[in-house]
Amino acid sequence: FRRVLFRSLAGLMVAGRAGAAMAAELGTMRVTDQIDALSTLSTHPMKYLVAPRLLAGIVALPLLVLVADVLGVMGGFIVSTMKLGFNVGIYLTNTINFVQTEDVVSGLVKAGVFGFLIALMGCYQGYHSRGGAQGVGAATTSAVVSASILILAFDYVLTEMFFAR
């Protein structure tokens, strides 16, 4: 249960920050006609604006999860051995024995999917925003809400796929 909760919360926090930023940026570009200007200059807006953000979401969130996993294990090591007096060898042995490849891989896959969903919703809502600053604000809110709902839904589905026995 903990592994589901922590990764979902991390995805929701990134959705609130990065998804909103993508929606706001693309929404501002839409309402100021910058996206139309790209089309006029024969630059495909999807390839130029959306594809790099999708790729960044797919790559960046798993890297963030990997760093958080490593820091979590290191933090557990430091607290357990220095504050609680656990044996260093036993801690390391148990960590190696009990961390399963399936847990790490599933976490990284889920993070990649969450990154894709966050970027997709941010780009979609921002790209289709209308109505000036008010429309950009609405698109930003919609991006965060839709990404959050999709993260929770996909977290359940992916957890069932990885851990159903």
Side-chain angles (χ1 to χ4, degrees), residues 4-15 114 151-152 155:
V4 172
L5 180 64
F6 291 141
R7 290 198 177 92
S8 294
L9 289 176
L12 294 174
M13 288 187 292
V14 172
F114 295 168
I151 284 170
L152 294 173
D155 191 26

Side-chain angles (χ1 to χ4, degrees), residues 19 27-28 31 40 50 91 128 131 138-139 141 146 150:
T28 301
V31 299
T40 303
V50 175
Y91 181 89
H128 290 91
T141 302
S146 58
L150 285 173

Side-chain angles (χ1 to χ4, degrees), residues 133-152:
Q134 188 175 8
V136 173
T140 301
T141 302
S142 296
V144 173
V145 170
S146 58
S148 298
I149 291 169
L150 285 173
I151 284 170
L152 294 173

Side-chain angles (χ1 to χ4, degrees), residues 72-139:
V73 171
M74 286 175 42
F77 173 79
I78 290 169
V79 170
S80 297
T81 57
M82 294 185 174
K83 288 284 188 187
L84 301 176
F86 288 10
N87 183 301
V88 173
I90 292 173
Y91 181 89
L92 293 174
T93 302
N94 284 336
T95 300
I96 291 167
N97 289 338
F98 290 109
V99 172
Q100 298 176 355
T101 306
E102 181 182 23
D103 292 332
V104 176
V105 169
S106 69
L108 295 176
V109 168
K110 287 167 78 173
V113 171
F114 295 168
F116 174 77
L117 292 172
I118 292 165
L120 182 68
M121 288 297 99
C123 290
Y124 177 81
Q125 297 295 341
Y127 191 85
H128 290 91
S129 66
R130 299 274 186 255
Q134 188 175 8
V136 173

